Amino acid sequence: QTFPEVSTLDQIFRDRVLALFDWLVPVAIRFLKRELKEAAGTTDEGTNVVCTLMRTFNSLLVKPLADPQGLLAKQIAGVGREEGAVMMNTHIDSVFIFSLAWSIGGSADSNEGRAVFDEFFRAAYSCELDGYTSPSGEKYTLPEDVPSGHM
């Protein structure tokens, strides 16, 4: 699936979204598969949870941005370019985190599993995976877990 064409979504914001996906999705799926029991099995590659992530993200961010009369578009249009960029980055990150937590982390089979995912994901997003040890003792500090040049 390709990123939808939305005139209000500048290339810099598209790059941010792609960077978030490249940085956090692979390690979150590895964590899910290595550490958690799933309520309903997902594909080994995680394609179905990623599709759910993309659908949630699309409904919460892309569609509202496409509406020029929408609240978000009005808020960003009412401030300067630099302040609007900060607001937009914050909004993109927030929607992405919500979408990832409910699509990948939400597939855990219990509240305990979701709490374990929450702790892991907070460490990953804060770039503190060096100090994080998973329940199995696995460390998530390999190059494929934390790609170079991530956000």
Side-chain angles (χ1 to χ4, degrees):
Q1 203 170 22
T2 60
F3 201 73
E5 292 297 324
V6 178
S7 61
T8 55
L9 197 59
D10 292 346
Q11 187 62 42
I12 192 165
F13 301 126
R14 288 175 190 230
D15 292 344
R16 183 171 190 86
V17 170
L18 292 174
L20 285 166
F21 269 89
D22 289 344
W23 168 34
L24 293 168
V25 170
V27 72
I29 291 172
R30 275 192 293 284
F31 184 85
L32 172 68
K33 296 298 180 181
R34 290 178 187 165
E35 306 292 337
L36 302 176
K37 183 175 179 188
E38 297 175 88
T42 60
T43 58
D44 288 339
E45 315 78 38
T47 53
N48 47 350
V49 290
V50 173
C51 285
T52 302
L53 165 62
M54 292 172 69
R55 286 185 190 113
T56 305
F57 188 82
N58 184 50
S59 69
L60 294 174
L61 181 76
V62 177
K63 286 183 181 177
L65 279 178
D67 178 10
Q69 301 303 315
L71 179 61
L72 182 62
K74 287 181 180 179
Q75 286 177 339
I76 291 173
V79 298
R81 176 83 176 146
E82 191 171 308
E83 187 179 344
V86 170
M87 286 175 60
M88 191 62 200
N89 283 337
T90 301
H91 193 70
I92 287 171
D93 286 9
S94 300
V95 170
F96 182 84
I97 289 167
F98 177 87
S99 300
L100 191 145
W102 280 103
S103 60
I104 298 175
S107 66
D109 75 333
S110 65
N111 285 337
E112 292 80 19
R114 287 186 275 282
V116 168
F117 184 84
D118 177 67
E119 183 182 344
F120 161 78
F121 190 60
R122 287 174 189 267
Y125 186 76
S126 302
C127 299
E128 297 172 355
L129 281 176
D130 287 340
Y132 177 80
T133 303
S134 70
S136 69
E138 183 82 31
K139 294 292 241 174
Y140 289 86
T141 55
L142 298 172
E144 66 265 18
D145 294 325
V146 186
S148 63
H150 71 283
M151 304 192 41

